[in-house]
Amino acid sequence: MPTYVYRCPADCPDFVERHPMASIPDRSACPDCGDDARRVIGAPSLGAGDSAAMRLQDATRASSETPTVVSNLPGSTRRSTPISTNPLHRKLPRP
Ligand SMILES: [Zn+2]
């Protein structure tokens, strides 16, 4: 069932209700004050789904701004940082 946003004229926060597409009320009672709230026409929330395609798009969008740091390539068993054999390195603090 699609969701619809309603705005109360008394400066209450907008609220969302679910209604069948066959019967969408233009007005609804505000849950905070009970006033007559009108339906707000806005952009459809197409990105609100939870599918593999949506997760991939979200991950791609997030990695374009803050790339994920990896230490190894996927499927690689080789360590990215070589293990030192110098005995003095044992005294260094570990990450
Ligand atoms: Zn209200």
Side-chain angles (χ1 to χ4, degrees):
M1 234 181 322
T3 58
Y4 300 95
V5 178
Y6 291 88
R7 180 167 297 154
C8 179
D11 288 339
C12 298
D14 293 353
F15 59 96
V16 177
E17 289 186 352
R18 292 175 172 260
H19 296 285
M21 291 180 76
S23 61
I24 308 164
D26 285 338
R27 296 177 179 272
S28 182
C30 175
D32 294 334
C33 67
D35 204 353
D36 197 21
R38 294 193 64 173
R39 183 162 57 102
V40 177
I41 306 296
S45 56
L46 299 176
D50 185 28
S51 65
M54 297 306 264
R55 285 193 296 271
L56 176 62
Q57 286 180 354
D58 291 343
T60 303
R61 191 178 303 119
S63 69
S64 67
E65 296 172 0
T66 55
T68 305
V69 178
V70 295
S71 58
N72 291 335
L73 292 174
S76 170
T77 56
R78 206 181 103 213
R79 291 178 57 99
S80 60
T81 54
I83 298 174
S84 173
T85 55
N86 188 337
L88 295 175
H89 289 171
R90 292 182 189 153
K91 296 178 181 178
L92 294 175
R94 296 180 183 264

